[in-house]
Amino acid sequence: MRLLLIEDYLPLVRSLSQGLREAGYAVDTATDGEVGLEHAEATNYDAIILDLMLPKIDGLTVLKRLRGDHNATPILVLTARDGIDDRVKGLDLGADDYLVKPFAFEEFLARVRAIIRRRYQSSTSTIRIGDLEIDTTARVVRRGGTPIILSAREYALLEYLAARRGQVVSRGEIWDHVYDFASEPSSNVVDVYIGYLRRKLEPVGGPKLIHTRRGQGYVFGDRE
Amino acid sequence: MTRPAASLHLRLTAAVVGVVGLSLCAFSLALHTTFSAAIFRQFDERLAQDARAVANMVEERVGEPWEFEPGALEGFEQKDGGAYFEVWMDDGVLLARSPSLGTADLARPRSLTDTMIVGTRLPNGRTGRVFLASLPPRQDEEGPPAPSGRRVTVAVALSTAEVDATIATLRFLLWGSGLAALVLAALVGAFAIRGGLAPVGRLAGRIGVLDARRLSERLPVGDLPRELGPVVVKLNELLARLEESFGRERQFSADVSHELRTPLAGLRSLLEVASSRERPAPEYKSALGDALHVVERMSSLVENLLMLARLEAHQVRVTNEEIALHELVEESYAPLAAKASARMLLVENRIPSDTLFISDREKLRVVVTNLLANAVEYTAENGRVTVESAASPGEVLRVCDSGPAIPDEALERIFDRFFRLDSARSGTGDHCGVGLSLSHSRSVRCARPVHRCRESPRRLSNVQRPEDR
């Protein structure tokens, strides 16, 4: 999953983006409202984390513009300001959730997961396909109870495919949702990682989970 | 009605009643006096006429006692009828008396120089008036050829019963109508006054509804009586000031919470993420270093806020000493040098090295540091900042920079706590907008308030000398 973090306080930007990347997300950052809006309009993120007090264009305005343009990306609003009014305003303008600083990082992660889940409309944090079990909270994958070790990138890819299961996902979409600006663009890195994933998830002779649709992309699921 | 309105009501009504009462009294008194005087004058005229008539009935005889010829004398016959007369010779010998007297006598004065009219008790017990005069007898052809010129003393007494009654009636009427008028005035006055004061009560009601949550409301001026107009206008101005003041307080409270919570959030996330997994030592070291930076920023913010609070509560003492200004400026600038060169600013200290100033060194340093820090932060890149000596009396030094200029509306507010020109925050620099406010507060103690003047394209900040006591 790919996230946009719009926050101007540098220590917070650094620690949050590091924590999120270590949790397997691709993270892009912006330190003012103008750049943040540009990124959000240009790229399809799985969630946006938005601070309200921003230079140039403030958070509520960014929120208003995104929703005004019918951008339905889930948004988690962060703020240090007092007051019910701010929270109500943020939620009414279209934010999906609200977190008051300072917060525990674990809670922050949980809320990010929750708004992404809602976007992909799954109500539980564990995805089961056949005997494959993906625990998105613990970021653990099991087959028949036995854990499967995946690298962070592999897990991120699997998580995205699973969230979109049953739908055709193009390479471009995979690229947008699993890699961030910091990644080196490469034409077949997606295919390579799909290969890695197949090797780990589909034992020889066992059911295929990742299906190729020639010319279109991939589909994740236990049916063709 | 609220208390104050009642006493005003009472006072006005009392005033009305008092004035009406006094006027009525004065009027009644005048009327009574004039009327009584007139009526008694008339009465006394009658007495005088009767006396002259009686005197005319006396005939002088030479060599014989004078004669008294009672002519047509009505009214004096009836005993105790209330009309009496007596006549004496000038030597005191009784000459005549009215039938009504019977055997009684009217008082006769020993000597009579002039006409006398006095109130008296009549022989029948009633009150009356007696006229006493020395009058000549009848003078006609039947008299002696050479009148002696002697006179007779005549006393005529008449009952004043009628007159008294008339006056009594008048008095009664005056009292009666006076009281009635007074009562009427009181009632009508009270009623009218209550009506007149009703707007005050209504205004009080409207004011009572206002509270801290509804400060944007203003009292309507249109339908008020002229006298209350100015009051309401001033009240509205007060409300505007209060609204502004409350607004600033709310803003300050919101800003403080943001300014304190943001570094705390950074600190927390920093430490939580760093400790979330095993890391190589250099990573921990770097995280701890970042954490320390944040703590330093919070520390200085907290110190500034405390100082601000203390200054505003007048708890800080000022200790004066001789300060070399040039050096102080250098000291204040030192921590900012790195940032200034990063922004390619040319900073000059043009204060002569021998300039001295007596003030509180520590606080003056903070003032100067804040001004310089602001200049370094907000002057456009590649600009210049110069610190100069005083250019006019009362100044201590000036910090001029090449801009951008502060807009006029902001000039007033730049010393507010946390105010920054970019309302969304102009940067995550080590400022949080408390600096200038602090300068302002401290300056009040060790120098006159700092003000910024705009001379496009340059901005100036002056540090002024304290007012002379």
Side-chain angles (χ1 to χ4, degrees):
Chain A
M1 299 295 176
R2 188 169 180 188
L3 310 173
L4 174 62
L5 172 63
I6 313 179
E7 162 68 59
D8 67 330
Y9 185 48
L10 290 176
L12 200 55
V13 173
R14 287 197 287 263
S15 56
L16 288 183
S17 52
Q18 181 184 1
L20 286 168
R21 286 196 186 104
E22 288 176 357
Y25 294 99
V27 182
D28 295 329
T29 60
T31 51
D32 67 66
E34 209 176 283
V35 173
L37 200 53
E38 275 168 27
H39 283 345
E41 284 164 349
T43 312
N44 196 3
Y45 289 100
D46 292 294
I48 297 175
I49 298 139
L50 177 62
D51 179 35
L52 287 190
M53 290 284 276
L54 294 169
K56 298 208 185 140
I57 305 178
D58 81 285
L60 285 175
T61 311
V62 171
L63 187 53
K64 246 191 290 201
R65 291 223 203 142
L66 286 175
R67 292 307 186 224
D69 292 338
H70 303 290
N71 184 324
T73 312
I75 297 178
L76 171 66
V77 153
L78 301 178
T79 190
R81 284 179 79 115
D82 264 330
I84 312 253
D85 289 343
D86 293 320
R87 294 187 214 177
V88 170
K89 235 192 289 191
L91 291 170
D92 278 345
L93 283 172
D96 294 84
D97 201 357
Y98 192 104
L99 201 49
V100 177
K101 299 177 193 169
F103 46 76
F105 188 71
E106 284 307 312
E107 184 178 358
F108 171 72
L109 273 185
R111 286 185 192 262
V112 170
R113 281 196 296 268
I115 59 175
I116 293 175
R117 236 186 5 251
R118 252 179 266 142
R119 192 231 204 166
Y120 290 106
Q121 277 152 3
S122 61
S123 50
T124 70
S125 53
T126 305
I127 305 169
R128 282 188 189 82
I129 299 173
D131 62 350
L132 189 73
E133 188 184 284
I134 308 169
D135 181 340
T136 59
T137 310
R139 305 183 88 82
V140 165
V141 181
R142 277 183 254 264
R143 162 164 258 127
T146 327
I148 302 175
I149 310 294
L150 296 176
S151 75
R153 192 65 83 195
E154 288 163 357
Y155 179 81
L157 181 54
L158 176 62
E159 190 182 19
Y160 184 64
L161 287 174
R164 300 281 311 271
R165 86 169 166 284
Q167 302 165 20
V168 178
V169 183
S170 70
R171 277 183 195 76
E173 284 176 303
I174 293 174
W175 176 255
D176 278 347
H177 285 265
V178 180
Y179 296 86
D180 53 38
F181 291 148
S183 311
E184 293 271 331
S186 161
S187 57
N188 71 338
V189 68
V190 171
D191 296 327
V192 168
Y193 270 89
I194 294 282
Y196 291 159
L197 216 49
R198 275 179 164 149
R199 234 174 291 147
K200 290 191 179 173
L201 293 182
E202 299 166 355
V204 176
K208 286 186 74 173
L209 291 169
I210 303 172
H211 312 273
T212 309
R213 284 266 197 281
R214 198 157 323 195
Q216 292 172 47
Y218 300 96
V219 183
F220 184 81
D222 53 4
R223 281 167 228 285
E224 181 73 25
Chain B
M1 259 189 266
T2 59
R3 259 175 182 278
S7 90
L8 204 60
H9 186 237
L10 215 59
R11 277 160 60 187
L12 285 172
T13 311
V16 165
V17 167
V19 166
V20 169
L22 275 171
S23 320
L24 282 174
C25 278
F27 170 73
S28 303
L29 211 63
L31 191 65
H32 184 265
T33 313
T34 318
F35 186 73
S36 306
I39 234 183
F40 275 109
R41 242 197 322 277
Q42 218 176 39
F43 187 82
D44 293 345
E45 256 311 304
R46 199 175 133 207
L47 273 175
Q49 267 180 4
D50 285 351
R52 277 195 289 275
V54 167
N56 241 15
M57 295 168 193
V58 175
E59 288 175 8
E60 187 177 350
R61 292 275 178 266
V62 175
E64 300 177 331
W66 291 15
E67 268 190 40
F68 184 76
E69 195 86 32
L73 270 177
E74 291 158 19
F76 290 93
E77 286 95 31
Q78 192 182 357
K79 180 143 192 336
D80 288 329
Y84 311 91
F85 70 81
E86 264 189 302
V87 187
W88 300 273
M89 293 295 297
D90 54 12
D91 52 11
V93 175
L94 181 66
L95 196 55
R97 74 153 37 112
S98 67
S100 52
L101 266 174
T103 48
D105 268 311
L106 294 174
R108 178 183 173 260
R110 235 155 244 294
S111 59
L112 188 65
T113 46
D114 215 336
T115 311
M116 263 175 72
I117 307 181
V118 287
T120 186
R121 187 155 291 281
L122 298 174
N124 66 0
R126 307 267 172 76
T127 43
R129 276 167 88 79
V130 61
F131 179 95
L132 294 147
S134 175
L135 293 169
R138 184 187 320 158
Q139 281 145 345
D140 59 12
E141 352 38 274
E142 291 183 29
S148 61
R150 283 173 77 182
R151 290 177 159 224
V152 286
T153 308
V154 179
V156 177
L158 290 176
S159 166
T160 50
E162 252 180 61
V163 176
D164 286 340
T166 311
I167 291 178
T169 309
L170 174 70
R171 216 178 280 148
F172 176 74
L173 279 174
L174 284 176
W175 270 112
S177 60
L179 279 170
L182 208 58
V183 169
L184 195 66
L187 286 173
V188 172
F191 194 72
I193 287 166
R194 185 194 302 169
L197 290 177
V200 176
R202 279 199 296 271
L203 185 62
R206 277 202 216 117
I207 293 172
V209 167
L210 297 171
D211 66 20
R213 280 166 302 212
R214 296 166 63 165
L215 281 176
S216 55
E217 281 186 28
R218 297 285 175 267
L219 299 163
V221 193
D223 57 340
L224 285 172
R226 195 162 38 100
E227 289 78 8
L228 289 178
V231 174
V232 172
V233 166
K234 287 300 167 197
L235 262 170
N236 281 340
E237 284 173 18
L238 175 67
L239 285 172
R241 284 199 296 275
L242 274 174
E243 189 185 9
E244 206 190 311
S245 176
F246 270 74
R248 280 183 178 176
E249 285 306 310
R250 259 197 298 267
Q251 182 67 31
F252 176 63
S253 168
D255 288 342
V256 170
S257 68
H258 180 271
E259 294 299 335
L260 287 175
R261 285 178 176 158
T262 300
L264 271 178
L267 202 55
R268 182 167 190 166
S269 294
L270 202 56
L271 296 171
E272 281 183 333
V273 170
S275 55
S276 66
R277 53 166 72 173
E278 283 294 318
R279 297 178 191 279
E283 262 188 63
Y284 283 133
K285 197 152 179 219
S286 145
L288 290 175
D290 287 345
L292 205 52
H293 265 56
V294 176
V295 167
E296 278 164 9
R297 169 184 155 156
M298 285 189 71
S299 215
S300 81
L301 172 62
V302 167
E303 284 311 310
N304 276 343
L305 282 176
L306 282 174
M307 178 64 83
L308 202 57
R310 262 185 242 126
L311 277 170
E312 289 180 356
H314 302 294
Q315 278 176 24
V316 175
R317 269 181 311 152
V318 170
T319 51
N320 289 328
E321 61 181 287
E322 225 173 49
I323 306 169
L325 271 185
H326 182 97
E327 271 167 38
L328 185 80
V329 171
E330 293 294 322
E331 255 180 64
S332 310
Y333 176 64
L336 305 163
K339 178 148 202 183
S341 58
R343 305 193 73 230
M344 291 172 290
L345 297 172
L346 175 63
V347 180
E348 285 177 73
N349 182 355
R350 289 198 197 149
I351 298 183
S353 30
D354 55 355
T355 311
L356 294 175
F357 181 60
I358 298 178
S359 180
D360 183 312
R361 180 183 208 85
E362 184 50 43
K363 297 184 184 64
L364 187 62
R365 194 169 62 75
V366 175
V367 172
V368 174
T369 306
N370 274 315
L371 288 177
L372 286 173
N374 254 274
V376 166
E377 174 86 19
Y378 296 113
T379 305
E381 287 188 2
N382 288 304
R384 55 193 299 162
V385 177
T386 43
V387 183
E388 294 166 349
S389 303
S392 55
E395 279 184 11
V396 177
L397 56 84
R398 318 180 115 201
V399 175
C400 313
D401 63 60
S402 52
I406 302 176
D408 281 331
E409 321 82 67
L411 269 178
E412 238 187 67
R413 298 203 52 206
I414 53 174
F415 292 113
D416 283 358
R417 292 166 279 178
F418 297 124
F419 176 77
R420 274 182 282 190
L421 278 182
D422 180 343
S423 61
R425 286 232 340 242
S426 24
T428 54
D430 298 316
H431 291 284
C432 53
V434 185
L436 272 185
S437 171
L438 214 42
S439 292
H440 187 226
S441 289
R442 291 187 202 197
S443 297
V444 170
R445 298 279 294 167
C446 65
R448 239 167 72 204
V450 172
H451 66 269
R452 287 185 158 236
C453 43
R454 182 175 81 130
E455 280 174 21
S456 65
R458 302 163 95 213
R459 285 184 306 177
L460 303 180
S461 296
N462 308 338
V463 179
Q464 314 258 111
R465 286 179 191 280
E467 309 263 11
D468 288 322
R469 299 263 162 135

